[in-house]
Amino acid sequence: MNTVRTTDEESAGAPKVAVVTGAGSGIGRAVAVELLTAGWSVALAGRRPEPLAETAAAAPAGGGTPLTVRADVSRPEDVAALFGAVRDRFGRLDLLFNNAGTFGPGGVPVEELPYEAWRHVVDTNLNGAFLCAQAAFRQMKEQDPRGGRIINNGSISAHTPRPHSVAYTATKHALTGLTKSLSLDGRPYGIAVGQIDIGNAATEMTAGMQTGALQANGETAPEPVMDVADVARTVRHMAELPLEANVQFATVMATAMPYVGRG
């Protein structure tokens, strides 16, 4: 009979195993390097092999073991191959960081947004997160010791939108529902599910914010950003809690960004 891994078993056993999607850049790269540095074995998933190799090379020697896997999370067959590769290489799965995502075309009013662009954002941000969570659930439920953790990358936009961001905002709101439902359904199997909502981490995706971002009043104004390493450390903290404890929702943001009172 499968049992849930206890704190003592976690500390005494082999290195823990994580899957990080969107690991080729930005938050995904920072989190993957943080986990590798801490000794985790990490499957680095993304659509382009070259950035994944760069992420693996960015981790210091003597840390955990990286495994690069080319995968488009919107494709069920790629997701199945990703988690199969993790099972074959490491034998179990302790963490999924559901990070892969896209903002889509920026600054496009809702009435002008092409359906193809809407569908691309939904397929990546929501369908991809579901497919990866489903695959992780299956493995965590059946492995011995049973259990694991899923952390979904939400966003400040899971709470409050930016102007002209309907596709991104809709998917990030949906991720909150996905997180809650997975958290409830995972309880009998020792699967803890939480969400980190991130605001203005300094990555390629947010590079333009420091020069000017459209505000709700129609003005364009620069916004402060924070070091992406602070996000990575927060994810690691969430990941390394014993399965008896869970950070259900965490918000990590640049202190002075326009969020509280946005609009």
Side-chain angles (χ1 to χ4, degrees), residues 61-131:
T65 302
L67 171 67
T68 62
V69 183
R70 196 216 66 78
D72 180 341
V73 298
S74 69
R75 298 172 61 87
E77 60 272 25
D78 281 18
V79 173
L82 165 63
F83 284 85
V86 172
R87 183 173 56 251
D88 292 344
R89 176 68 180 274
F90 300 120
R92 67 172 291 112
L93 176 64
D94 298 291
L95 171 69
L96 164 64
F97 181 44
N98 237 341
N99 168 71
T102 181
F103 192 81
V108 179
V110 60
E111 68 274 15
E112 298 176 11
L113 183 69
Y115 174 73
E116 293 76 13
W118 164 272
R119 181 63 183 268
H120 175 66
V121 176
V122 172
D123 281 346
T124 303
N125 295 5
L126 180 57
N127 294 344
F130 164 74
L131 289 170

Side-chain angles (χ1 to χ4, degrees), residues 142-168:
E142 298 301 326
Q143 65 192 6
D144 187 12
R146 187 166 66 184
R149 189 179 305 275
I150 298 171
I151 301 173
N152 292 324
N153 182 350
S155 169
I156 295 298
S157 292
H159 305 271
T160 306
R162 289 184 175 277
H164 305 323
S165 65
V166 64
Y168 185 78

